[in-house]
Amino acid sequence: MEERAAAPGAGTVVNALATGRGAAFALDLETTATVALDPDAEGVTGTIAGAPDGDTTLIERCVERVVDRYGADEGGAVETESEVPTAAGLKSSSAAANATVVATLSALGLEVADDPDADVTRTEACRVGVRAARDAGVTVTGAFDDASASMLGGVTVTDNGADELLASDDPFAEHALVWTPPERAYSADADVSACERVAPMAELATELALDGDHARAMTVNGLAFSAALGFPTDPAVEAMADCAGVSLSGTGPSVVAVGEREALATVRERWDERDGETRLTETRETGVRVL
């Protein structure tokens, strides 16, 4: 019983650390998980391609949670490989969890779909991965905003305390430019108290997102959380005249701008002068897919 699934990373519209409500959108950068289940195996062994010393707790816990709920004590192995850089604010953990959960469900012969008559709905599969992320300690809020955007595609607005979708059907088809500096930042290490001090701006950004004004919500969020978390606002300011919206993604350090491709190419010329890597990609309206 071996199956593969791929899930996209995501960018931030509203960081949930301040208020518990957040919003995110899928990016066309994928993480792939291969899961092989064996009824005779004891436990689950994880591997991350290209990172022999990488922490595999999350992906192992995803398989264990799926098997505990839907299987019959199968063990096995899971391997992930990714275009999404880790600890860069681009939701690598959510993508890995979603891909692993869906690959495991598929290996059990279960259909994952939006249809309420499916074996497992995509929203419930997403919640399994969120719970595994909490078990593994890789998230402060549970990151249901990030995970739901990755699982469902498009843009989602969520209540992370209740793992509840507040909005998930607004169109958000944009080109996206991602700048990732060399340093890394882990979500679990974020200064929550500093984020809570910008709660009024987070509330404003959330209301904009709920009204469908996702690009402006990004910019409000990005300026507030860059200041709260100690990241420079210069990259966002450099982009503002030539993009629809720009934000620090997650708890950083990546910055994501969305808008017209030609205008973003102008922003890329500026960001390319900075240390790190730029990627010109797109938002994505589709989420996890079985390969």
Side-chain angles (χ1 to χ4, degrees):
M1 296 184 290
E2 179 176 300
E3 292 288 348
R4 299 173 70 232
T12 294
V13 177
V14 183
N15 190 314
L17 284 177
T19 68
R21 295 195 299 172
F25 59 92
L27 281 168
D28 197 23
L29 301 169
E30 282 190 330
T31 296
T32 301
T34 303
V35 174
L37 297 180
D38 181 350
D40 297 322
E42 292 187 11
V44 178
T45 301
T47 306
I48 299 172
D53 298 323
D55 187 349
T56 58
T57 304
L58 172 62
I59 57 176
E60 291 167 355
R61 188 67 186 125
C62 285
V63 176
E64 291 166 354
R65 271 197 168 267
V66 172
V67 168
D68 286 348
R69 180 164 180 180
Y70 300 101
D73 286 332
E74 293 91 343
V78 52
E79 180 177 15
T80 58
E81 54 184 318
S82 186
E83 301 173 319
V84 187
T86 60
L90 300 174
K91 326 308 182 188
S92 59
S93 293
S94 292
N98 283 337
T100 300
V101 166
V102 171
T104 307
L105 288 166
S106 185
L108 290 170
L110 299 175
E111 178 191 21
V112 182
D114 289 330
D115 186 339
D117 294 327
D119 296 319
V120 184
T121 67
R122 289 201 295 169
T123 301
E124 185 49 43
C126 178
R127 291 191 178 107
V128 173
V130 165
R131 292 168 193 140
R134 292 187 181 123
D135 293 345
V138 298
T139 174
V140 175
T141 66
F144 187 60
D145 48 347
D146 305 338
S148 60
S150 170
M151 178 66 77
L152 303 175
V155 60
T156 60
V157 186
T158 65
D159 180 335
N160 281 12
D163 291 345
E164 177 185 358
L165 276 171
L166 303 177
S168 62
D169 55 359
D170 290 330
F172 194 59
E174 300 277 359
H175 293 280
L177 180 67
V178 181
W179 170 63
T180 303
E183 63 266 24
R184 292 293 182 261
Y186 291 89
S187 299
D189 297 333
D191 186 343
V192 178
S193 62
C195 294
E196 290 172 343
R197 290 195 285 273
V198 299
M201 291 298 97
E203 290 285 7
L204 172 59
T206 302
E207 292 309 313
L208 288 168
L210 287 169
D211 288 341
D213 195 348
H214 306 301
R216 239 183 351 145
M218 286 176 66
T219 303
V220 171
N221 175 87
L223 293 175
F225 281 90
S226 291
L229 293 168
F231 290 102
T233 57
D234 296 7
V237 172
E238 290 170 359
M240 280 183 193
D242 297 292
C243 71
V246 58
S247 183
L248 181 74
S249 196
T251 56
S254 294
V255 178
V256 182
V258 297
E260 297 294 328
R261 188 178 183 89
E262 289 185 5
L264 291 180
T266 301
V267 178
R268 185 175 196 172
E269 291 177 4
R270 300 179 193 130
W271 283 1
D272 276 344
E273 295 179 6
R274 296 180 170 274
D275 291 339
E277 182 180 3
T278 59
R279 299 176 182 83
L280 188 57
T281 182
E282 295 178 331
T283 64
R284 202 166 101 172
E285 295 299 297
T286 57
V288 178
R289 59 196 183 99
V290 176
L291 301 177

